[in-house]
Amino acid sequence: MTSTPRIVEVRRNILKRNDEIARALRERFRSAGVFVVSLVSSPGSGKTAFLEKTLTLLRQDHRPAALVGDLATDNDAVRLARSQAPVRQITTGTLCHLEAAMVEEALAEWNLKELDYLFIENVGNLVCPSSWDLGEDLRVVLLSVTEGEDKPLKYPTIFNTSDVVLITKTDLADATGFDRQAALANIERVRPGMQVLEVSTRTGQGFESWQSFLTEQKKRRATPGPL
Amino acid sequence: MTSTPRIVEVRRNILKRNDEIARALRERFRSAGVFVVSLVSSPGSGKTAFLEKTLTLLRQDHRPAALVGDLATDNDAVRLARSQAPVRQITTGTLCHLEAAMVEEALAEWNLKELDYLFIENVGNLVCPSSWDLGEDLRVVLLSVTEGEDKPLKYPTIFNTSDVVLITKTDLADATGFDRQAALANIERVRPGMQVLEVSTRTGQGFESWQSFLTEQKKRRATPGPL
């Protein structure tokens, strides 16, 4: 493994370039008044179903849109488009995360001023997306009750680089024997004070709090002064 | 992204070195008579629970052991050690997959001739482990019924580079509304003819077939001639 230092250096340059693009994106998002939320999680934690419902609900009073990253297929874009919100698929090939340049390219034809919320669904992966800033205002990490309570301890970086934890599929908590207290304690160990929301896309439980949370975060960002 | 060709080249060299180590490992495994099975899947698909039960069952008549990869924590090794089989943890830091050199190092103090089966539990990830040969005889990809039927289409490479699909948590199939036919059709689309086993670690369903399958594969490998 003698070539490791070289790959680290190359990686550092790529990440630096990504940060520059992300910073430019963040400025564009702020000046257009669009609030940007990215979603990260393991495959199968319910990102797409959750996002479809979120888009459908938000569309009643706001103008949401979504970008969705995947290695292959545009299945998720097709599912999200059922919400009637504008949706674009980013196909990453063998790459296990989205990069700021991909987001920039996917947005090329959109007028950001016509949007209130932009959601970016990352590739399902609890490792790779951690170090890639996409210019988002809020990074949400999803943890489904079916995955086990130990995930925050096993994938600390993705929890550390996220702003909120969203516990999903709460309707399955009993069937899976989910230990809620253990999960909360593990999140607290990895990132003390981290905010946790709990939802079930199937029953709708928790979506009211999620919507209030989003609205409040958007307002707070629009207010000048320290967060 | 002008540095992409350079990173591709560095990556190619690292992969080539990995393949050489993997080949040497494979020869060592064969000459020692140990049958090596690696497990890949998303985080939370039930690899560790499945492996703990497998080790416990196999120990009645065989000599199994396990290596387990994780970014952080030795939680999984602690869980697996309850089976009384020899277990070693490999901590990968920020790396989203195991490499052959890590396996080689972890095995340094073990006498392979004292083992019949060696299991290697990879980091929970449906992307990164695809290209890294670990010298295993059999790569098993786990797909839990809680993850959704679309995963083979969305992560085709990991399914293509695996030998068997193991559908896990079948006891939750009804609660999650798992569409078994759709899952099987998607696996068939990605890799026609791929063998599929179905298990529930909780109820024990499917473990008899899994054990027979393992024994048969081990025997088949020991027989000279084409597989």
Side-chain angles (χ1 to χ4, degrees):
Chain A
M1 296 284 131
T2 47
S3 36
T4 305
R6 207 176 140 206
I7 211 169
V8 168
E9 181 212 329
V10 175
R11 187 177 147 83
R12 200 178 293 134
N13 289 339
I14 293 182
L15 276 174
K16 199 179 150 201
R17 175 80 188 116
N18 184 77
D19 284 346
E20 288 163 4
I21 302 174
R23 202 175 310 133
L25 276 177
R26 190 167 279 116
E27 280 168 24
R28 275 180 61 198
F29 294 148
R30 297 223 166 193
S31 80
V34 55
F35 188 72
V36 182
V37 180
S38 76
L39 305 178
V40 292
S41 80
S42 332
S45 65
K47 280 189 300 306
T48 312
F50 169 75
L51 186 48
E52 184 185 345
K53 196 177 187 89
T54 299
L55 293 172
T56 305
L57 291 171
L58 280 179
R59 261 182 51 81
Q60 297 170 4
D61 301 302
H62 307 278
R63 299 165 304 172
L67 301 178
V68 51
D70 250 314
L71 270 66
T73 83
D74 61 353
N75 294 0
D76 286 357
V78 171
R79 285 169 65 192
L80 294 177
R82 294 187 299 210
S83 69
Q84 311 287 326
V87 172
R88 283 204 66 174
Q89 178 84 40
I90 303 173
T91 307
T92 63
T94 57
L95 213 58
C96 52
H97 60 266
L98 287 176
E99 300 184 5
M102 299 173 189
V103 171
E104 190 183 37
E105 197 192 326
L107 292 176
E109 290 159 26
W110 280 359
N111 180 357
L112 294 179
K113 290 195 176 147
E114 292 173 1
L115 300 178
D116 298 313
Y117 292 94
L118 174 67
F119 295 88
I120 306 175
E121 181 183 337
N122 217 315
V123 177
N125 203 303
L126 278 185
V127 185
C128 314
S130 306
S131 357
W132 300 87
D133 185 0
L134 303 178
E136 67 269 65
D137 292 291
L138 203 71
R139 184 183 285 186
V140 179
V141 57
L142 279 71
L143 171 68
S144 71
V145 301
T146 62
E147 285 170 63
E149 305 79 9
D150 56 345
K151 294 301 163 289
L153 302 180
K154 292 176 72 178
Y155 301 88
T157 312
I158 198 101
F159 282 83
N160 259 317
T161 57
S162 296
D163 304 292
V164 190
V165 180
L166 198 71
I167 298 181
T168 59
K169 306 193 188 180
T170 54
D171 56 291
L172 293 172
D174 287 345
T176 55
F178 179 65
D179 184 343
R180 182 174 175 272
Q181 286 312 317
L184 296 177
N186 288 341
I187 293 166
E188 188 65 21
R189 255 176 84 185
V190 169
R191 186 163 167 180
M194 193 170 195
Q195 181 148 10
V196 180
L197 294 168
E198 294 165 90
V199 298
S200 162
T201 302
R202 209 188 245 178
T203 68
Q205 181 257 321
F207 272 79
E208 213 167 302
S209 307
W210 163 240
Q211 273 193 274
S212 318
F213 173 77
L214 276 181
T215 318
E216 198 194 312
Q217 292 291 318
K218 188 177 192 302
K219 255 193 223 145
R220 187 189 285 189
R221 199 210 49 183
T223 315
L227 287 185
Chain B
M1 296 291 145
T2 48
S3 38
T4 304
R6 206 176 142 207
I7 209 170
V8 168
E9 182 212 330
V10 175
R11 187 176 147 83
R12 200 177 292 135
N13 289 340
I14 293 182
L15 276 174
K16 199 180 149 198
R17 175 82 187 114
N18 184 78
D19 283 346
E20 288 164 4
I21 303 173
R23 203 176 309 133
L25 276 176
R26 189 167 280 117
E27 280 169 23
R28 274 179 63 198
F29 294 150
R30 297 222 166 193
S31 79
V34 56
F35 188 72
V36 182
V37 180
S38 77
L39 305 178
V40 292
S41 80
S42 334
S45 64
K47 280 189 298 307
T48 312
F50 169 75
L51 186 48
E52 184 184 345
K53 195 175 186 92
T54 298
L55 293 172
T56 305
L57 290 171
L58 280 178
R59 260 182 52 82
Q60 297 169 6
D61 301 302
H62 307 278
R63 301 166 302 172
L67 301 178
V68 52
D70 250 315
L71 270 66
T73 84
D74 62 352
N75 294 0
D76 286 357
V78 171
R79 286 169 65 192
L80 293 177
R82 295 186 300 210
S83 69
Q84 311 287 327
V87 173
R88 283 204 66 175
Q89 179 84 39
I90 303 174
T91 307
T92 63
T94 56
L95 213 59
C96 52
H97 60 266
L98 288 176
E99 300 184 4
M102 300 173 187
V103 172
E104 189 182 38
E105 197 192 328
L107 292 175
E109 291 159 26
W110 281 0
N111 181 357
L112 294 179
K113 289 195 176 149
E114 292 173 1
L115 300 179
D116 298 314
Y117 292 93
L118 173 67
F119 294 88
I120 306 175
E121 182 184 337
N122 217 315
V123 177
N125 203 301
L126 278 186
V127 185
C128 315
S130 306
S131 358
W132 300 87
D133 185 0
L134 304 178
E136 67 269 63
D137 293 293
L138 203 70
R139 184 182 286 186
V140 179
V141 58
L142 279 70
L143 171 67
S144 71
V145 300
T146 62
E147 285 170 63
E149 304 80 7
D150 57 344
K151 295 300 162 290
L153 302 181
K154 292 176 72 178
Y155 301 89
T157 312
I158 198 98
F159 282 82
N160 259 319
T161 58
S162 296
D163 304 293
V164 190
V165 180
L166 198 69
I167 298 181
T168 59
K169 306 194 187 181
T170 54
D171 56 292
L172 293 172
D174 286 345
T176 55
F178 179 66
D179 184 342
R180 183 175 174 271
Q181 287 313 318
L184 296 177
N186 289 340
I187 293 166
E188 188 66 21
R189 255 176 83 185
V190 169
R191 186 162 166 181
M194 192 170 195
Q195 181 147 10
V196 180
L197 294 167
E198 293 165 89
V199 298
S200 161
T201 302
R202 210 189 243 178
T203 67
Q205 181 257 322
F207 273 79
E208 214 167 302
S209 306
W210 164 240
Q211 272 193 275
S212 317
F213 173 77
L214 276 181
T215 318
E216 198 194 312
Q217 293 291 317
K218 188 177 192 302
K219 254 193 223 147
R220 188 190 286 189
R221 199 209 51 182
T223 315
L227 287 184

